[in-house]
Amino acid sequence: MTKRRRQIGWAFVAPFGILFALVFIVPITYAAYLSLFQDQMVGGRSFVGLDNYSKLFVDPQFWDGVTRVVWFTLIQVPIMLVLALLLALAMDSMRLRGMRFMRVAIFLPYAVPAIVSTLMWGFMLGVRYGLFGSINGWLGTDLDPFRPSTTLIAIGIMVTWAFTGYNMLIFDSVLKAVPHELYEAAAIDGAGEFRVIRAIKLPALRGSLVITIIFSIIGTFQIFNEPQILPSMVANSGITTYYTPNLYAFNLAFTGSQQGYAAALALVMAAFTIAIAYVVQIRGMRNALDQ
């Protein structure tokens, strides 16, 4: 009977295991294989061992993209999560009218495809044929959100608009799971709204905050659509072929025909992202246990 149960268990696990191997293990293995080779115009593909990795770590274009993404993460992620947290607390207060409509309206940008979102914001913020172009024409100003010095800020606004609702929904779901007995006990003790937030709601959100931080870090390290599409819509944006690591890997593989180097870059960025996410998770769990 035990053997039969074990076979039934493997039968249930098998579809996931096969799919996991096909979409995760096999691509990573193939990327690792490609990273050991270099394509040359003369001689074709040749084995170079770890040369692609050693070359990558001294590549100034790679580090320029990594530095930009790290700064973007350090600034954009806290702003987005604080905004999502405030919105979730406002929704949970039950003092706002039309909460169902507001919840859907705030979450709706997440349902918009990234390409469509980028095109929409590009038309709205662009000065060539967008809203800011019309404002400059009316007021005689020279406002341009897509100057090289402010392009990353504009991308941050786009990403924040798209993902704040998603994180807000996670926080809102966690707050709805808090037992009402805690609120009743706090009301009997005479606790005010801010005291309830500090003593009950914020501790309840600690685990979900760790999850949203990890998801947000992974998402920001994978920025691709915005820097890929915007150069064709706006002029002098300062977006280069190596503006982000993902964009750099794409251009190396499909424009520069350097699949091996691009594979090495992708694997290094994957390891870097996993390491940061792991540190955040361990630190968040440790803080939760200390509390």
Side-chain angles (χ1 to χ4, degrees):
M1 188 66 178
T2 303
K3 182 178 180 180
R4 179 167 178 79
R5 288 183 177 180
R6 188 179 303 168
Q7 292 174 346
I8 294 174
W10 280 112
F12 277 107
V13 173
F16 168 77
I18 295 173
L19 186 64
F20 181 77
L22 290 177
V23 302
F24 191 78
I25 302 298
V26 172
I28 290 180
T29 304
Y30 183 62
Y33 168 78
L34 280 181
S35 68
L36 303 178
F37 292 85
Q38 184 179 12
D39 292 321
Q40 300 174 341
M41 295 184 63
V42 179
R45 180 170 295 178
S46 60
F47 179 79
V48 295
L50 299 178
D51 287 355
N52 284 326
Y53 294 93
S54 59
K55 177 183 176 182
L56 183 67
F57 286 116
V58 295
D59 186 349
Q61 295 181 341
F62 168 72
W63 288 112
D64 181 73
V66 171
T67 303
R68 184 176 292 105
V69 167
V70 168
W71 278 112
F72 182 85
T73 303
L74 291 175
I75 297 173
Q76 186 270 334
V77 169
I79 293 174
M80 177 182 63
L81 293 183
V82 168
L83 184 58
L85 179 61
L86 293 176
L87 289 172
L89 292 173
M91 293 290 178
D92 191 67
S93 68
M94 306 296 291
R95 297 182 180 181
L96 302 177
R97 295 183 179 180
M99 286 190 298
R100 291 183 179 179
F101 171 78
M102 291 183 62
R103 187 177 288 108
V104 173
I106 295 172
F107 178 76
L108 189 59
Y110 178 73
V112 178
I115 295 176
V116 176
S117 173
T118 304
L119 292 173
M120 181 187 70
W121 280 97
F123 280 116
M124 186 165 59
L125 299 181
V127 297
R128 186 183 301 174
Y129 30 59
L131 176 63
F132 272 74
S134 301
I135 293 175
N136 290 335
W138 295 335
L139 302 179
T141 55
D142 190 26
L143 301 174
D144 186 1
F146 290 115
R147 284 195 176 99
S149 58
T150 58
T151 295
L152 200 60
I153 297 175
I155 293 177
I157 294 173
M158 298 160 62
V159 174
T160 301
W161 176 83
F163 290 96
T164 296
Y166 170 79
N167 293 294
M168 182 272 295
L169 197 64
I170 293 177
F171 294 146
D172 187 51
S173 300
V174 173
L175 290 174
K176 289 187 180 304
V178 176
H180 287 281
E181 291 80 3
L182 295 178
Y183 297 138
E184 294 173 358
I188 293 175
D189 291 340
E193 184 67 26
F194 289 103
R195 177 64 178 173
V196 170
I197 292 175
R198 187 170 65 253
I200 298 177
K201 295 185 178 182
L202 291 182
L205 289 169
R206 187 174 292 111
S208 61
L209 184 61
V210 173
I211 293 175
T212 54
I213 290 175
I214 292 174
F215 286 171
S216 299
I217 290 174
I218 294 173
T220 53
F221 272 55
Q222 293 178 344
I223 289 179
F224 174 77
N225 290 299
E226 292 83 1
Q228 170 70 7
I229 297 172
L230 286 175
S232 63
M233 302 183 64
V234 298
N236 192 30
S237 62
I239 297 178
T240 59
T241 57
Y242 52 89
Y243 197 74
T244 65
N246 266 12
L247 184 63
Y248 190 27
F250 174 83
N251 286 311
L252 285 171
F254 297 101
T255 304
S257 297
Q258 301 183 52
Q259 286 82 8
Y261 193 47
L265 191 157
L267 290 174
V268 169
M269 285 304 303
F272 187 48
T273 305
I274 291 172
I276 293 179
Y278 179 76
V279 170
V280 171
Q281 181 181 9
I282 295 299
R283 183 66 180 270
M285 293 174 58
R286 184 179 302 170
N287 290 339
L289 292 175
D290 292 342
Q291 295 294 330

